[in-house]
Amino acid sequence: MAAQRQKEGKKERKKTRRGLTEGNERKMFSGYGTRNPHELYYLQMQRVDEKMEREESGGNEGTRQRLKVCVATCNRADYSKLAPIMFGLKSQPDLFELEVVVLGSHLIDDYGNTYRMIEQDEFNISASLHTIVRGEDEAAMVESLGLALVKLPDVLLRLAPHVLIVHGDRFDSLAVATAAALMNVRILHVEGGEVSGTIDDSIRHAITKLAHYHAVCTHAAQMHLLAMCEDHDRILMAGCPSYDRLLNARHHDDHEDIIKAWLGDGVKESEYIVALQHPVTTDIKNSIKIYELMLDALITFKKKTLILFPNVDAGSKEMVRVMRKKGIEQHPCFRAVKHVPFTQFIQLVAHAGCMVGNSSCGVREAGAFGTPVVNLGTRQTGRETGENVLHVRDADTHNKIYHALELQFGKRYPCSKIYGDGNAVSRIMKFLQSIDLLEPVQKTFSFPPVREDSVSQDIDHILETQSALGIDLGGTNLRVGIVTMTGKIMRKYSQPNPKTYEERMELILSMCKQAMADAVPLNCRILGVGVSTGGRVNPQNGMVLDSTKLINEWSHIDLRSPVSQSLHLPVWVDNDGNCAALAERKFGHGKGVENFVTLITGTGIGGGIIHHGELIYGSTFCAAELGHIMVSLDGPECSCGSRGCVEAYASGLALQREAKRLHDEDLLVVEGMSLNNKEQVNASHLIQAARLGNTKAEGVLRTAAAAVGVAVVNILHTVNPSLVVLSGVLAQHYKNPVTHFISQRALSSAREVKVLTSDLDNPALLGAASMVLDYTTRRTY
Ligand SMILES: [Zn+2]
């Protein structure tokens, strides 16, 4: 049985490698533009040879052993990130063999003897190394690093892991990575590529250059690793492992007990502060001063405060001395503790009225709960933060800190997903399985960094396709689709658009949740949600300003917040006409065209104007309301309340109205056509009748096409595009009359315009998805 599983695992791995190799080839051609074709050919041949060699030598069934993974943990902070990975490894014993090495401040009494957490989590510790030289100054850190380097080789020789996992930017981790790299042990570095403000930066980047594989938390981090010439195929955008637990942790019912246990009776949610300040080793003097000011501010702020002792870095002894001098441990407002178990700590952070200090937990984890944070000094400078963080970079007076506390305390922010979506561990497990032990350990220096267009393609290490959910809210139907980077609709869902706001929102969310669940087996990673809706939209804040009569109860609607909060994804909103134009720009005739216009006919008529490659919105988001271009002074009534708009002549609804009128006068049905009593008369009957020679029906269509023609000529004379794309079910019928109309009625210099019908099946849906795909994959430099 186990052998069978191993075989399957092996097959799976092979498949993964093949996927990667294809990615490489693609990258070679699209990204390495500076290499000449001969060199490219040579590289490609080399890759093919290597691949064949690998497959030959790996050809003996059953030789693949379990992957021996060693996790090295140094303190409570890195353990909080590594523990979820360790649980993941332990849960798949037929694929992985887990070894745990404990060192650094885990084993020191003053820092809470945190190795006990690992024992409590029931991991077997393979080796414990006392590596901390006491003194808490710069020299002691270096000596500690040296001590770790002396002790590690023995352990690595004994355990002989295939892969060693280290986390972050601590000096202990640097020792671990150095030892492993020198001993040819493959290193997976978790949380590389981030930028903060201290010596941590240098250490983190040094570990990156020692590591063979990278599991990063954010898009920006990935970009930084590429800029550091790391191989794109060895970088996994996983998200932060601790977020896997965090995102499920908020709604535990035991938080009241936990708050009581750590802060005392009578302290309620949002009524206390969590303070955690570490020394900044490159600027110890100043960081101690900030610490003193923070304590002063907290004393005057007079809220219950849980304060954690600083970490083991140089300067921490001095900070503890300051704390004792101010009598914090005896002060009635404070609870000073050395260590809080991680699961309880996140509950405390999640429900705090505010968090203050300079710990990475403030800028990272707190964002997941929307807890307000006051970040002091430079320790986290450069880190990506959510809107919940208020920075006090020059924390030089106690007033500044006090004022920041006043601003932040008790607030609630929307949850931020910058650092992860809760699926990091499963991605890392797949990534580890894809590691080919027969590949050379030698790292490659991937220069130059890959170009913009190839980044989005070759991210699929784990065989996931970057995708978006597109939503198309039309006058009749509500559609949701899973759309990939190339514009392929992997799955589509359609329901009648409900008549009330509540029902509509409920249906949108349930359809999206269904699609997100279906995306997993389809290997699509959903990056966000794009919504196309009728009506005027402010795309900056995701509000539907006012809608047409075609969609009820749909004015002054905040469409973004409820969808984003419920699905935990970024949400883009725009109107259907603009979305149709965006779809043409990304997937259709508009690709690479600077100035073009899309006119889409459905139940109503909408459109979008692309000028210099971007949409025109106007001063109040009312530009490109092409359906309401007036083509006559009176004419039929329009849904907008006016008369004579092109929509009132040529939309699906207008044609239906005319078909009904003819039918009521018994003028619609002609020979060769059947229409039973129950069937609703619509535009298609009108078209059918016209084809069969019904002159009345022909006349209606001719008028409709003429109305579109007038509208298009007006558009040509307003924005002078080089292309007009007619989209929607009626586009075919309007194309020739419109072309003819232009040749007759447009100014001669405006006639040089191409008129095409769209090739896209669901333009609004695709355009909605394109907003997500364009923005979430945009390079930052
Ligand atoms: Zn109108």
Side-chain angles (χ1 to χ4, degrees), residues 627-628 638-640 642 645:
H628 303 289
C638 179
S639 66
C640 69
S642 182
C645 300

Side-chain angles (χ1 to χ4, degrees), residues 111 132-138 140 284 311-317:
Y111 300 97
I132 298 293
V133 176
R134 302 309 299 271
E136 277 85 23
D137 58 7
E138 289 94 340
I284 292 177
N311 67 18
V312 66
D313 281 336
S316 61
K317 245 186 183 168

Side-chain angles (χ1 to χ4, degrees), residues 172-341:
D172 330 70
S173 303
L174 179 62
V176 173
T178 307
L182 285 170
M183 294 174 73
N184 284 327
V185 174
R186 285 159 211 275
I187 300 166
L188 169 66
H189 183 210
V190 179
E191 224 179 290
E194 289 177 26
V195 179
S196 58
T198 66
I199 187 70
D200 299 351
D201 264 354
S202 308
I203 294 180
R204 190 181 318 107
H205 303 329
I207 298 175
T208 290
K209 292 315 294 184
L210 292 166
H212 305 83
Y213 306 93
H214 314 273
V216 301
C217 304
T218 70
H219 183 64
Q222 182 183 22
M223 292 306 148
H224 294 148
L225 292 193
L226 291 176
M228 288 161 75
C229 297
E230 289 300 297
D231 184 347
H232 196 282
D233 282 343
R234 294 182 171 204
I235 304 168
L236 171 74
M237 231 283 266
C240 183
S242 64
Y243 262 55
D244 289 22
R245 283 208 260 171
L246 285 179
L247 292 175
N248 297 318
R250 170 99 224 244
H251 301 291
H252 274 256
D253 336 318
D254 58 348
H255 67 268
E256 282 174 3
D257 297 338
I258 295 172
I259 294 170
K260 210 164 140 191
W262 291 95
L263 285 135
D265 288 332
V267 179
K268 292 207 175 60
E269 154 169 10
S270 297
E271 286 180 358
Y272 62 93
I273 295 172
V274 174
L276 180 50
Q277 173 99 355
H278 299 302
V280 176
T281 52
T282 42
D283 191 4
I284 292 177
K285 245 179 142 181
N286 190 39
S287 70
I288 290 166
K289 183 163 169 254
I290 294 178
Y291 190 64
E292 210 169 339
L293 294 171
M294 177 186 82
L295 295 179
D296 288 342
L298 285 168
I299 290 168
T300 28
F301 200 64
K302 289 198 186 106
K303 296 280 186 262
K304 272 277 182 200
T305 300
L306 181 76
I307 184 163
L308 278 93
F309 279 69
N311 67 18
V312 66
D313 281 336
S316 61
K317 245 186 183 168
E318 188 57 37
M319 285 172 96
V320 174
R321 206 169 298 143
V322 169
M323 191 167 147
R324 301 226 154 105
K325 204 173 76 194
K326 295 199 180 285
I328 295 297
E329 282 162 297
Q330 293 78 39
H331 196 287
C333 278
F334 289 88
R335 289 283 169 108
V337 297
K338 283 180 182 159
H339 168 70
V340 182

